[in-house]
Coordinates of all heavy atoms in Angstrom, one line a residue:
M1 N 95.3 73.5 57.0 CA 96.6 73.7 57.7 C 96.5 73.1 59.1 O 95.6 73.2 59.8 CB 96.8 75.2 57.8 CG 98.2 75.6 58.2 SD 98.4 77.4 58.4 CE 98.5 77.9 56.8
H2 N 97.6 72.4 59.4 CA 97.6 71.7 60.7 C 98.1 72.7 61.8 O 98.4 73.8 61.5 CB 98.4 70.4 60.7 CG 99.8 70.5 60.4 ND1 100.4 71.7 60.0 CD2 100.8 69.6 60.4 CE1 101.7 71.5 59.9 NE2 102.0 70.3 60.0
E3 N 98.1 72.2 63.0 CA 98.4 73.0 64.2 C 99.7 73.7 64.1 O 99.8 74.9 64.3 CB 98.4 72.2 65.5 CG 98.6 72.9 66.8 CD 97.5 73.9 67.1 OE1 96.3 73.6 66.7 OE2 97.7 74.9 67.7
A4 N 100.8 73.1 63.7 CA 102.1 73.7 63.5 C 102.1 74.8 62.5 O 102.7 75.8 62.7 CB 103.2 72.6 63.2
G5 N 101.4 74.6 61.5 CA 101.3 75.7 60.5 C 100.6 76.9 61.0 O 101.0 78.1 60.7
R6 N 99.5 76.7 61.8 CA 98.8 77.9 62.3 C 99.7 78.6 63.4 O 99.7 79.9 63.4 CB 97.5 77.4 63.0 CG 96.5 77.1 61.9 CD 95.1 76.9 62.5 NE 95.2 75.6 63.1 CZ 94.1 75.0 63.7 NH1 93.0 75.6 63.7 NH2 94.2 73.8 64.2
V7 N 100.4 77.9 64.2 CA 101.3 78.5 65.2 C 102.4 79.3 64.5 O 102.6 80.5 64.8 CB 101.9 77.5 66.1 CG1 102.9 78.1 67.0 CG2 100.8 76.8 67.0
G8 N 103.0 78.7 63.4 CA 104.0 79.4 62.7 C 103.5 80.7 62.0 O 104.1 81.7 62.0
A9 N 102.3 80.6 61.5 CA 101.7 81.8 60.8 C 101.4 82.9 61.9 O 101.7 84.1 61.6 CB 100.4 81.4 60.1
L10 N 100.9 82.5 63.0 CA 100.7 83.5 64.1 C 102.0 84.1 64.6 O 102.1 85.3 64.7 CB 100.0 82.8 65.3 CG 99.8 83.6 66.5 CD1 98.8 84.7 66.3 CD2 99.5 82.8 67.7
L11 N 103.0 83.3 64.7 CA 104.3 83.9 65.2 C 104.9 84.9 64.1 O 105.4 85.9 64.5 CB 105.3 82.8 65.4 CG 105.0 81.9 66.6 CD1 106.0 80.7 66.7 CD2 105.0 82.7 67.9
R12 N 104.8 84.5 62.8 CA 105.2 85.4 61.8 C 104.4 86.7 61.8 O 105.0 87.8 61.6 CB 105.2 84.7 60.4 CG 106.3 83.7 60.2 CD 106.3 83.2 58.7 NE 105.1 82.5 58.3 CZ 104.8 81.2 58.6 NH1 105.7 80.5 59.3 NH2 103.7 80.7 58.2
R13 N 103.1 86.6 61.9 CA 102.3 87.7 61.9 C 102.6 88.7 63.0 O 102.6 89.9 62.9 CB 100.8 87.3 61.9 CG 99.8 88.5 61.8 CD 98.4 88.1 61.7 NE 98.0 87.6 63.1 CZ 97.4 86.5 63.3 NH1 97.1 85.6 62.4 NH2 97.1 86.1 64.6
E14 N 102.9 88.1 64.2 CA 103.2 88.9 65.4 C 104.7 89.3 65.5 O 105.1 90.0 66.4 CB 102.8 88.2 66.7 CG 101.3 87.9 66.7 CD 100.4 89.2 66.7 OE1 100.9 90.2 67.3 OE2 99.3 89.2 66.2
G15 N 105.5 88.8 64.6 CA 106.9 89.2 64.6 C 107.7 88.5 65.7 O 108.7 89.0 66.2
L16 N 107.3 87.2 66.0 CA 107.9 86.5 67.1 C 108.7 85.3 66.5 O 108.4 84.9 65.4 CB 106.9 86.0 68.1 CG 106.1 87.1 68.8 CD1 105.0 86.4 69.6 CD2 107.0 87.9 69.7
Y17 N 109.6 84.7 67.3 CA 110.3 83.6 66.9 C 109.9 82.4 67.7 O 109.5 82.5 68.8 CB 111.8 83.8 67.1 CG 112.4 84.9 66.3 CD1 112.6 86.2 66.8 CD2 112.7 84.7 64.9 CE1 113.1 87.2 66.1 CE2 113.2 85.8 64.2 CZ 113.4 87.0 64.7 OH 113.9 88.0 64.0
S18 N 110.0 81.2 67.1 CA 109.6 80.0 67.8 C 110.5 79.7 69.0 O 110.1 79.1 70.0 CB 109.7 78.8 66.8 OG 111.0 78.6 66.3
S19 N 111.8 80.2 68.9 CA 112.6 80.1 70.1 C 112.1 80.9 71.3 O 112.2 80.4 72.4 CB 114.1 80.5 69.7 OG 114.1 81.9 69.4
S20 N 111.5 82.0 71.0 CA 110.9 82.8 72.1 C 109.7 82.0 72.7 O 109.6 82.0 74.0 CB 110.4 84.1 71.6 OG 111.4 84.9 71.1
L21 N 108.9 81.4 71.9 CA 107.8 80.6 72.4 C 108.3 79.4 73.2 O 107.8 79.1 74.3 CB 107.0 80.0 71.2 CG 105.7 79.3 71.5 CD1 104.8 80.3 72.2 CD2 105.1 78.8 70.2
R22 N 109.4 78.7 72.8 CA 110.0 77.7 73.6 C 110.5 78.2 74.9 O 110.3 77.5 76.0 CB 111.1 77.0 72.8 CG 110.7 76.0 71.8 CD 111.8 75.1 71.3 NE 113.0 75.9 70.8 CZ 113.1 76.4 69.5 NH1 112.2 76.0 68.6 NH2 114.1 77.1 69.1
T23 N 111.1 79.3 74.9 CA 111.7 79.9 76.2 C 110.5 80.2 77.1 O 110.6 79.9 78.3 CB 112.5 81.2 75.8 OG1 113.5 80.9 75.0 CG2 113.0 81.8 77.1
W24 N 109.4 80.8 76.6 CA 108.3 81.2 77.5 C 107.6 79.9 78.0 O 107.3 79.9 79.2 CB 107.3 82.0 76.7 CG 107.8 83.3 76.3 CD1 108.7 84.1 76.9 CD2 107.4 84.1 75.2 NE1 108.9 85.3 76.3 CE2 108.1 85.3 75.2 CE3 106.4 83.9 74.2 CZ2 107.9 86.3 74.3 CZ3 106.3 84.9 73.2 CH2 107.0 86.1 73.3
R25 N 107.5 78.9 77.2 CA 106.9 77.6 77.7 C 107.8 77.0 78.8 O 107.3 76.5 79.8 CB 106.8 76.6 76.5 CG 105.6 76.9 75.6 CD 105.5 75.9 74.6 NE 104.4 76.2 73.7 CZ 104.3 75.7 72.5 NH1 105.2 75.0 71.9 NH2 103.2 76.0 71.8
R26 N 109.1 77.0 78.6 CA 110.0 76.5 79.6 C 109.9 77.3 80.9 O 109.9 76.7 82.0 CB 111.5 76.5 79.1 CG 112.5 75.9 80.0 CD 113.9 76.0 79.5 NE 114.3 77.3 78.9 CZ 114.6 78.4 79.6 NH1 114.6 78.4 80.9 NH2 115.0 79.5 79.0
Q27 N 109.9 78.6 80.8 CA 109.8 79.5 82.0 C 108.4 79.2 82.7 O 108.4 79.2 83.9 CB 109.9 80.9 81.6 CG 111.3 81.3 81.2 CD 111.4 82.8 80.7 OE1 110.4 83.3 80.2 NE2 112.6 83.4 80.7
H28 N 107.4 79.1 81.9 CA 106.1 78.8 82.5 C 106.1 77.5 83.2 O 105.6 77.4 84.3 CB 105.0 78.8 81.4 CG 103.6 78.5 81.9 ND1 103.1 77.3 82.0 CD2 102.7 79.4 82.4 CE1 101.9 77.3 82.5 NE2 101.6 78.6 82.8
D29 N 106.6 76.5 82.6 CA 106.7 75.2 83.3 C 107.5 75.2 84.5 O 107.2 74.5 85.5 CB 107.2 74.1 82.3 CG 106.2 73.8 81.1 OD1 105.0 74.2 81.3 OD2 106.7 73.3 80.1
A30 N 108.5 76.0 84.5 CA 109.4 76.1 85.7 C 108.8 77.0 86.8 O 109.3 77.1 87.9 CB 110.8 76.6 85.3
G31 N 107.7 77.7 86.5 CA 107.0 78.5 87.4 C 107.6 79.9 87.5 O 107.3 80.7 88.4
E32 N 108.4 80.3 86.5 CA 109.1 81.6 86.6 C 108.1 82.7 86.1 O 108.3 83.8 86.4 CB 110.3 81.6 85.7 CG 111.4 80.6 86.1 CD 112.5 80.5 85.2 OE1 112.6 81.4 84.3 OE2 113.3 79.6 85.3
L33 N 107.1 82.3 85.4 CA 106.1 83.3 84.9 C 104.8 83.4 85.7 O 104.0 84.2 85.3 CB 105.8 83.0 83.4 CG 106.9 83.1 82.4 CD1 106.4 82.7 81.0 CD2 107.6 84.4 82.4
A34 N 104.7 82.7 86.7 CA 103.5 82.6 87.5 C 103.1 83.9 88.1 O 101.9 84.2 88.1 CB 103.6 81.5 88.6
G35 N 104.0 84.7 88.5 CA 103.6 86.0 89.2 C 103.4 87.1 88.3 O 102.9 88.2 88.7
M36 N 103.6 87.0 87.0 CA 103.5 88.2 86.2 C 102.1 88.6 85.9 O 101.8 89.8 85.8 CB 104.2 87.9 84.8 CG 105.7 87.8 85.0 SD 106.5 87.5 83.4 CE 106.2 89.0 82.6
G37 N 101.1 87.7 85.8 CA 99.8 88.1 85.5 C 99.0 88.6 86.6 O 98.0 89.2 86.5
S38 N 99.3 88.3 87.8 CA 98.5 88.6 89.0 C 98.9 89.8 89.7 O 98.3 90.2 90.7 CB 98.6 87.4 90.0 OG 99.9 87.3 90.5
A39 N 99.8 90.6 89.2 CA 100.2 91.8 89.9 C 99.1 92.9 89.8 O 98.6 93.1 88.7 CB 101.5 92.3 89.3
K40 N 98.8 93.5 90.9 CA 97.8 94.5 90.9 C 98.4 95.8 90.3 O 99.5 96.1 90.6 CB 97.2 94.7 92.3 CG 96.5 93.6 92.8 CD 95.9 93.9 94.2 CE 95.1 92.7 94.7 NZ 94.5 93.0 96.0
R41 N 97.6 96.5 89.6 CA 98.0 97.8 89.1 C 97.7 98.9 90.0 O 96.9 98.8 90.9 CB 97.3 98.1 87.8 CG 97.6 97.0 86.7 CD 96.8 97.2 85.5 NE 97.1 98.5 84.9 CZ 96.7 99.0 83.8 NH1 95.9 98.2 83.0 NH2 97.0 100.2 83.3
G42 N 98.4 100.0 89.8 CA 98.2 101.2 90.7 C 99.2 101.3 91.8 O 100.1 100.6 91.9
R43 N 98.9 102.3 92.7 CA 99.7 102.5 93.8 C 99.6 101.3 94.8 O 98.6 100.7 94.9 CB 99.3 103.8 94.6 CG 99.6 105.0 93.8 CD 99.3 106.2 94.7 NE 99.7 107.4 94.0 CZ 99.5 108.6 94.5 NH1 99.0 108.7 95.7 NH2 99.9 109.7 93.8
K44 N 100.7 101.1 95.5 CA 100.7 100.1 96.5 C 100.0 100.6 97.7 O 100.2 101.8 98.1 CB 102.2 99.7 96.9 CG 103.0 99.3 95.7 CD 102.6 97.9 95.3 CE 103.5 97.4 94.1 NZ 102.8 96.8 93.0
A45 N 99.3 99.8 98.4 CA 98.5 100.2 99.6 C 99.5 100.4 100.7 O 100.5 99.7 100.9 CB 97.5 99.2 100.0
Q46 N 99.3 101.5 101.4 CA 100.2 101.8 102.6 C 99.8 100.9 103.7 O 98.6 100.6 104.0 CB 100.0 103.3 103.0 CG 100.4 104.3 102.0 CD 101.9 104.2 101.8 OE1 102.7 104.0 102.7 NE2 102.2 104.4 100.5
P47 N 100.8 100.3 104.4 CA 100.5 99.4 105.5 C 99.8 100.2 106.6 O 100.1 101.3 106.9 CB 101.8 98.9 105.9 CG 102.8 99.9 105.4 CD 102.2 100.5 104.2
K48 N 98.7 99.5 107.1 CA 98.0 100.2 108.2 C 98.8 100.1 109.5 O 99.3 99.1 109.9 CB 96.6 99.4 108.4 CG 95.7 99.5 107.2 CD 95.2 100.9 107.0 CE 94.2 100.9 105.8 NZ 93.7 102.2 105.5
D49 N 98.9 101.2 110.1 CA 99.6 101.3 111.4 C 98.5 101.3 112.5 O 97.5 102.0 112.4 CB 100.3 102.7 111.4 CG 101.3 102.7 112.6 OD1 101.3 101.8 113.4 OD2 101.9 103.8 112.8
G50 N 98.7 100.5 113.5 CA 97.8 100.4 114.6 C 97.6 101.7 115.3 O 96.5 102.0 115.8
R51 N 98.6 102.5 115.3 CA 98.4 103.8 115.9 C 97.4 104.7 115.2 O 96.7 105.5 115.8 CB 99.8 104.5 116.0 CG 100.7 103.8 117.0 CD 102.1 104.5 117.0 NE 102.7 104.3 115.7 CZ 103.9 104.7 115.4 NH1 104.6 105.4 116.2 NH2 104.4 104.5 114.2
D52 N 97.4 104.6 113.8 CA 96.5 105.4 113.0 C 95.0 105.1 113.4 O 94.2 105.9 113.5 CB 96.7 105.2 111.5 CG 98.0 105.7 111.0 OD1 98.5 106.6 111.7 OD2 98.4 105.3 110.0
K53 N 94.7 103.8 113.6 CA 93.4 103.3 114.0 C 93.1 103.9 115.4 O 92.0 104.4 115.6 CB 93.3 101.8 114.0 CG 92.0 101.3 114.3 CD 92.0 99.8 114.3 CE 90.6 99.2 114.6 NZ 90.6 97.8 114.7
R54 N 94.0 103.8 116.3 CA 93.8 104.3 117.6 C 93.6 105.9 117.6 O 92.7 106.4 118.3 CB 95.0 104.0 118.5 CG 94.9 104.4 119.9 CD 93.8 103.7 120.7 NE 93.7 104.1 122.1 CZ 92.7 104.2 122.8 NH1 91.5 103.8 122.3 NH2 92.7 104.6 124.0
I55 N 94.3 106.6 116.8 CA 94.2 108.0 116.7 C 92.8 108.4 116.2 O 92.1 109.3 116.7 CB 95.3 108.6 115.8 CG1 96.6 108.6 116.5 CG2 94.9 110.1 115.4 CD1 97.8 108.9 115.6
A56 N 92.3 107.6 115.2 CA 91.0 107.9 114.6 C 89.9 107.6 115.7 O 88.9 108.4 115.8 CB 90.7 107.0 113.4
E57 N 90.1 106.5 116.5 CA 89.1 106.3 117.6 C 89.1 107.4 118.6 O 88.0 107.8 119.0 CB 89.5 104.9 118.3 CG 89.2 103.7 117.4 CD 89.8 102.4 118.1 OE1 90.3 102.5 119.2 OE2 89.7 101.4 117.5
L58 N 90.3 107.8 119.0 CA 90.4 108.9 120.0 C 89.8 110.2 119.5 O 89.1 111.0 120.2 CB 91.8 109.1 120.4 CG 92.4 108.0 121.2 CD1 93.9 108.2 121.4 CD2 91.7 107.8 122.5
E59 N 89.9 110.5 118.2 CA 89.4 111.7 117.6 C 87.8 111.7 117.6 O 87.2 112.6 117.9 CB 89.9 112.0 116.2 CG 91.3 112.4 116.2 CD 91.9 112.5 114.7 OE1 91.3 112.0 113.8 OE2 93.0 113.1 114.6
R60 N 87.3 110.5 117.3 CA 85.8 110.3 117.3 C 85.3 110.5 118.7 O 84.3 111.1 119.0 CB 85.4 109.0 116.7 CG 85.5 108.9 115.2 CD 84.8 107.6 114.7 NE 85.4 106.4 115.2 CZ 86.4 105.8 114.6 NH1 86.9 106.3 113.5 NH2 86.9 104.7 115.1
E61 N 86.0 109.9 119.7 CA 85.6 110.0 121.1 C 85.7 111.4 121.6 O 84.8 111.9 122.3 CB 86.6 109.1 121.9 CG 86.3 109.1 123.4 CD 85.0 108.4 123.8 OE1 84.4 107.7 122.9 OE2 84.6 108.5 125.0
A62 N 86.7 112.2 121.2 CA 86.8 113.6 121.5 C 85.7 114.4 121.0 O 85.1 115.2 121.7 CB 88.2 114.1 121.1
Q63 N 85.3 114.1 119.7 CA 84.2 114.8 119.1 C 82.9 114.5 119.9 O 82.1 115.4 120.1 CB 84.0 114.5 117.7 CG 85.1 115.0 116.8 CD 85.0 114.5 115.4 OE1 84.2 113.7 115.0 NE2 85.8 115.1 114.5
R64 N 82.7 113.2 120.2 CA 81.5 112.8 121.0 C 81.4 113.5 122.3 O 80.4 114.1 122.7 CB 81.5 111.3 121.1 CG 80.2 110.8 121.8 CD 80.3 109.3 122.0 NE 81.2 109.0 123.1 CZ 81.0 109.1 124.4 NH1 79.8 109.5 124.8 NH2 81.9 108.7 125.3
L65 N 82.5 113.5 123.0 CA 82.6 114.2 124.3 C 82.4 115.7 124.2 O 81.8 116.3 125.1 CB 83.9 113.8 125.0 CG 84.0 112.4 125.5 CD1 85.4 112.1 126.0 CD2 83.0 112.0 126.5
Q66 N 82.9 116.3 123.2 CA 82.7 117.7 122.9 C 81.2 118.1 122.8 O 80.7 119.0 123.3 CB 83.5 118.2 121.7 CG 83.5 119.7 121.5 CD 84.1 120.5 122.6 OE1 85.1 120.1 123.2 NE2 83.5 121.6 122.9
R67 N 80.5 117.3 122.0 CA 79.1 117.5 121.8 C 78.3 117.3 123.1 O 77.5 118.1 123.5 CB 78.5 116.5 120.7 CG 78.9 116.9 119.3 CD 78.1 116.0 118.3 NE 78.3 114.6 118.5 CZ 79.2 113.9 117.9 NH1 80.1 114.4 117.1 NH2 79.3 112.6 118.1
K68 N 78.7 116.3 123.9 CA 78.1 116.0 125.2 C 78.3 117.2 126.1 O 77.4 117.6 126.9 CB 78.6 114.7 125.7 CG 77.8 114.2 126.9 CD 78.3 112.8 127.2 CE 77.5 112.2 128.3 NZ 77.8 110.8 128.7
L69 N 79.6 117.8 126.1 CA 79.9 118.9 127.0 C 79.0 120.1 126.6 O 78.5 120.8 127.5 CB 81.4 119.2 126.8 CG 81.8 120.5 127.6 CD1 81.6 120.4 129.1 CD2 83.3 120.8 127.2
E70 N 78.9 120.4 125.3 CA 78.1 121.5 124.8 C 76.6 121.3 125.3 O 76.0 122.3 125.7 CB 78.2 121.7 123.3 CG 79.6 122.1 122.9 CD 79.7 122.0 121.4 OE1 78.8 121.6 120.6 OE2 80.8 122.4 120.9
Q71 N 76.1 120.1 125.2 CA 74.7 119.9 125.6 C 74.6 120.1 127.1 O 73.7 120.8 127.6 CB 74.3 118.5 125.3 CG 74.1 118.2 123.8 CD 73.8 116.7 123.5 OE1 74.0 115.9 124.4 NE2 73.5 116.5 122.3
A72 N 75.6 119.7 127.9 CA 75.6 119.8 129.4 C 75.6 121.3 129.7 O 74.9 121.8 130.6 CB 76.7 119.1 130.0
E73 N 76.5 122.1 129.0 CA 76.6 123.5 129.3 C 75.3 124.2 129.0 O 74.8 125.1 129.7 CB 77.7 124.1 128.5 CG 79.1 123.7 129.0 CD 80.2 124.2 128.1 OE1 80.0 124.6 126.9 OE2 81.4 124.2 128.6
T74 N 74.6 123.8 127.9 CA 73.3 124.4 127.6 C 72.3 124.1 128.6 O 71.5 125.0 129.1 CB 72.8 123.8 126.2 OG1 73.8 124.1 125.2 CG2 71.5 124.5 125.8
V75 N 72.2 122.9 129.1 CA 71.3 122.5 130.2 C 71.6 123.3 131.4 O 70.7 123.8 132.1 CB 71.4 121.0 130.5 CG1 70.6 120.6 131.7 CG2 70.8 120.2 129.3
I76 N 72.8 123.5 131.8 CA 73.2 124.3 133.0 C 72.8 125.7 132.9 O 72.2 126.3 133.8 CB 74.7 124.1 133.3 CG1 75.1 122.7 133.7 CG2 75.2 125.1 134.3 CD1 76.5 122.4 133.8
E77 N 73.0 126.3 131.7 CA 72.6 127.7 131.5 C 71.0 127.8 131.6 O 70.5 128.8 132.2 CB 73.0 128.2 130.1 CG 74.5 128.4 130.0 CD 74.9 129.6 130.9 OE1 74.2 130.6 131.0 OE2 75.9 129.4 131.6
I78 N 70.3 126.9 131.1 CA 68.8 126.9 131.2 C 68.4 126.8 132.6 O 67.5 127.5 133.1 CB 68.2 125.8 130.3 CG1 68.4 126.2 128.8 CG2 66.7 125.6 130.6 CD1 68.0 125.1 127.9
Q79 N 69.1 125.9 133.4 CA 68.8 125.7 134.8 C 69.1 126.9 135.6 O 68.3 127.2 136.5 CB 69.5 124.5 135.3 CG 69.0 123.1 134.8 CD 69.8 122.0 135.3 OE1 70.9 122.1 135.8 NE2 69.3 120.8 135.2
K80 N 70.1 127.6 135.2 CA 70.5 128.9 136.0 C 69.4 129.9 135.8 O 69.0 130.7 136.7 CB 71.8 129.4 135.5 CG 73.0 128.7 136.0 CD 74.2 129.4 135.5 CE 75.5 128.7 135.8 NZ 76.7 129.4 135.2
K81 N 68.9 130.0 134.6 CA 67.9 131.1 134.2 C 66.5 130.7 134.6 O 65.7 131.6 134.8 CB 68.0 131.4 132.7 CG 69.3 132.0 132.3 CD 69.3 132.2 130.8 CE 70.7 132.8 130.4 NZ 70.7 133.0 128.9
S82 N 66.2 129.5 134.6 CA 64.8 129.1 134.8 C 64.1 129.5 136.1 O 62.9 129.9 136.1 CB 64.6 127.6 134.6 OG 65.3 126.9 135.6
P83 N 64.8 129.5 137.3 CA 64.1 129.9 138.5 C 63.6 131.4 138.4 O 62.6 131.8 138.9 CB 65.1 129.8 139.6 CG 66.0 128.7 139.1 CD 66.0 128.9 137.6
R84 N 64.4 132.3 137.7 CA 64.1 133.7 137.6 C 62.8 133.8 136.7 O 61.9 134.6 137.0 CB 65.2 134.5 137.0 CG 66.2 134.9 138.0 CD 67.2 135.8 137.3 NE 68.3 134.9 136.8 CZ 69.1 135.2 135.9 NH1 69.1 136.3 135.3 NH2 70.0 134.3 135.5
Y85 N 62.7 133.0 135.7 CA 61.6 133.1 134.8 C 60.3 132.5 135.4 O 59.2 132.9 135.1 CB 61.9 132.4 133.4 CG 63.0 133.1 132.6 CD1 64.1 132.5 132.2 CD2 62.8 134.5 132.3 CE1 65.1 133.1 131.5 CE2 63.8 135.1 131.6 CZ 64.9 134.4 131.2 OH 65.9 135.0 130.5
W86 N 60.5 131.6 136.3 CA 59.3 130.9 136.8 C 58.9 131.6 138.2 O 57.9 131.2 138.8 CB 59.6 129.5 137.1 CG 59.8 128.7 135.8 CD1 59.4 129.1 134.6 CD2 60.4 127.4 135.7 NE1 59.7 128.1 133.6 CE2 60.4 127.1 134.3 CE3 61.1 126.5 136.5 CZ2 60.9 125.9 133.8 CZ3 61.6 125.4 136.0 CH2 61.5 125.1 134.7
G87 N 59.6 132.6 138.6 CA 59.3 133.4 139.8 C 59.7 132.7 141.1 O 59.1 133.1 142.1
F88 N 60.6 131.8 141.1 CA 61.1 131.2 142.3 C 62.0 132.1 143.1 O 62.2 131.9 144.3 CB 61.7 129.8 142.1 CG 60.7 128.8 141.6 CD1 60.9 128.1 140.4 CD2 59.5 128.5 142.3 CE1 60.0 127.2 139.9 CE2 58.6 127.6 141.8 CZ 58.9 126.9 140.6
L89 N 62.7 133.0 142.5 CA 63.7 133.8 143.2 C 63.2 135.2 143.3 O 62.6 135.8 142.6 CB 65.1 133.7 142.5 CG 65.8 132.4 142.6 CD1 67.1 132.5 141.9 CD2 66.1 132.1 144.1

């Protein structure tokens, strides 16, 4: 069986018409079908807002400073108590 016969058998088996195949070829050649295969599936990514990045940076900075403050308060408490324990007062 030559090429035309195999294509015709495939189209009949899949329930397609040769006119559909011609239309698809014409659309492909014209570039109308170029975008159909490359579309990503799933939800669309939300655009990143510069403010969101800045908020995240500020939250990290606030947490860092909070830890540093707690350490400083601990050191101050120890310094307040240490002269009594060492007999300086």
Side-chain angles (χ1 to χ4, degrees):
M1 192 182 282
H2 64 354
E3 184 66 28
R6 285 190 284 188
V7 171
L10 173 70
L11 291 174
R12 282 190 297 278
R13 186 177 70 232
E14 298 298 325
L16 300 172
Y17 296 100
S18 60
S19 61
S20 297
L21 188 60
R22 280 193 306 270
T23 301
W24 293 333
R25 283 181 180 156
R26 182 182 45 76
Q27 289 173 338
H28 179 268
D29 293 341
E32 296 174 14
L33 298 178
M36 291 181 66
S38 65
K40 292 183 178 180
R41 296 178 60 173
R43 289 185 178 180
K44 304 290 183 222
Q46 295 296 324
K48 297 289 182 182
D49 188 2
R51 293 177 293 181
D52 291 340
K53 183 178 178 184
R54 181 67 177 146
I55 290 169
E57 289 173 1
L58 291 173
E59 287 175 347
R60 284 192 300 272
E61 180 71 9
Q63 289 175 352
R64 185 185 69 79
L65 291 173
Q66 183 65 37
R67 285 191 303 272
K68 195 170 181 178
L69 174 63
E70 290 170 0
Q71 289 173 350
E73 288 174 342
T74 302
V75 168
I76 291 170
E77 286 297 317
I78 291 172
Q79 288 175 345
K80 284 181 186 177
K81 294 178 182 179
S82 63
R84 277 186 270 157
Y85 294 123
W86 293 341
F88 293 125
L89 291 178

